[in-house]
Amino acid sequence: MILLCGIPSETPLSMVRDELDAIGEPLVMFNQREVARTDIWFDVGLGGVVGELQLGDRRYPLQDFAGVYNRMMDDQLLPELRGEPPASQAREHARTLHETLAAWLEIANTRVVNRARAGGSNFSKPYQAQLIRRAGFQVPETLITNDPALAAEFLASHPRVVYKSMSGNRSIVTLLEASEIERLSSIRWCPVQFQAYVEGTNVRVHTIDKEVFATAILTDAADYRYAGDSAHPREVEPYELLPSIAAQCVELARDLGLAFAGIDLKITPDGNVFCFEVNPCPAFSFYEAHTEQPIAHAVARYLSCDGHG
Amino acid sequence: MTADVLVTALRWEHRLSSADVTARVTLADGRVIDTDRTRGVLNRLVALPDTHLRLATPADRDYARQEFLALFLSWLQTLPGPILNRPTPQGLSGPWLHDAEWACLATNAGLPTNPFHQATADGNGGPSELERRPIKTVVVVADKAIGSGAPACILEGSRQLARAVGVALLEISFYETWSSPWTFAAASPLPDMRLGGKELLASLVTALGGSN
């Protein structure tokens, strides 16, 4: 039996649920929006980890779950808690429930896609870049500084430079224009990450255990996630990775402890492979919708232990 | 170096490329911390102060706080030589784990551990057992376990626990129960250094590459 956690209508979660249904794998959905009717407990002892999840009137032993797909959103942002005071009983219950569930996911003797601890490196892109580098990928030349003069020098020494957040905060990757040099004085307050822009083809690689799906995103936008308008058209198509690069992606995800990963590559015209980031909670539905690559099916098969060692 | 001094550094220059990773931090008093000149780090950073951001809007302050944390995680990882402890995404000076994880890891390391229980019904999400009163401590420094009066199996279990977590420096607290005079209570990557006395100090110096 597989446990799915999140909002059932969320596209990646619903796609995996459909695939689990299609292969006949029994599943249980923890709908976060029904948090008030949900309880959980677990024990850790010499016999391992045992516990129970109660959804409404139904009770499920935690040890019966062979796999868990976690797409949970921040519980404090749930619509059901809108208008609740910060320390209300409903908020406290939601917090305690999610903390207990999250604690169990870290120690559960089951397949978890993905454990929070494994995804931690994504909170610091330069930290993660050091791990990516160790895995043998090239990483773009990067300067993090609060010194406007150093930033200006970096801008002058590269044809094109982008800036983006260092942390897990989502930011739009933006080209730094020479006309913005005057604005650089504001970086004194908080160091900023600048990166040499790498020309080439954006490739998003999804790894599920040892399976690999590569998708090319063809656009001239600095951040392909925000392309697709008339100024920066975007095309998305399946991409064939060299077997050695595919193996390297699988190894990187494994090193990070990620059963399912979204790896952002850029492949330059002369064949160099740069790796920018590894997303521990990839919203793969966009890529599957454009290419029909069976990513949700692979996640479902992994969760149900079908064909994965 | 205190966190206050570091977070208000005059100049940060942290570079990454396929060829190299370097960092050079110039402090307000002119001192420089350079990856080329550092040969060991005793890392006691837990949180980063944000008083220098107090004039920013709440949204900007929150953004900057996360950016600084991301920077420090990467910078500490860059420093060469022994680092006690290496930073992790779960804590700047080593992983701060949930009690349930510590209980699992301690059990696997062979340390006597009382059953751990957590439930939404308990209200606070924490363990429901009676208040724990740690009364004995073992500190592990670079695979050496120091604990006055601790039996060999407890010292070995403590070493195993530090290895399992991947930290060089770990404080493990124990309390006495009817089943074992040394029952695992808690662990922290930020030991109280006073507990280990001169033996701990000597071990630290050795671990950091100094002569003892």
Side-chain angles (χ1 to χ4, degrees), chain A residues 42-43, chain B residues 115-119 121-132:
Chain A
F42 69 85
D43 285 337
Chain B
F116 175 91
H117 174 77
Q118 182 163 342
D122 296 339
N124 62 5
S128 65
E129 65 185 82
L130 295 174
E131 185 188 357
R132 295 167 168 181

Side-chain angles (χ1 to χ4, degrees), chain A residues 38-46 49 92-93 96-101 103-104 106-107 116-118 120-127 129-131 133-134 137-147 150 153-154 164-171 188-193 274, chain B residues 8-21 52-53 55 62-79 86-90 95 97-98 100-105 107 113-126 164-166:
Chain A
T38 308
D39 277 302
I40 184 173
W41 65 266
F42 69 85
D43 285 337
V44 180
L46 285 174
V49 183
E92 287 292 322
H93 174 77
T96 305
L97 178 95
H98 283 82
E99 278 177 10
T100 307
L101 183 53
W104 172 69
E106 293 306 294
I107 57 174
R117 197 172 173 188
S121 68
N122 202 234
F123 293 132
S124 170
K125 293 185 182 81
Y127 171 81
Q130 294 189 53
L131 306 181
R133 201 176 148 266
R134 265 189 233 157
F137 282 101
Q138 297 200 51
V139 295
E141 204 171 319
T142 301
L143 168 68
I144 297 162
T145 189
N146 59 350
D147 183 339
L150 277 181
E153 190 184 293
F154 190 76
K164 58 185 185 182
S165 68
M166 284 178 270
S167 66
N169 265 313
R170 187 165 183 152
S171 65
R188 289 189 193 284
W189 293 99
C190 180
V192 171
Q193 176 174 232
F274 285 80
Chain B
T8 54
L10 208 56
R11 191 168 90 152
W12 282 91
E13 183 182 356
H14 183 17
R15 294 179 188 269
L16 293 94
S17 70
S18 302
D20 207 3
V21 181
H52 63 298
L53 303 169
L55 294 180
D62 188 47
Y63 178 85
R65 200 184 289 132
Q66 292 185 56
E67 290 293 285
F68 269 105
L69 200 55
L71 170 59
F72 270 64
L73 183 54
S74 183
W75 167 62
L76 288 165
Q77 179 71 10
T78 305
L79 296 172
R86 285 213 162 266
T88 71
Q90 290 75 35
L97 304 182
H98 190 278
E101 279 185 85
W102 283 122
C104 270
L105 290 163
T107 303
T113 308
N114 264 6
F116 175 91
H117 174 77
Q118 182 163 342
T120 40
D122 296 339
N124 62 5
V165 183

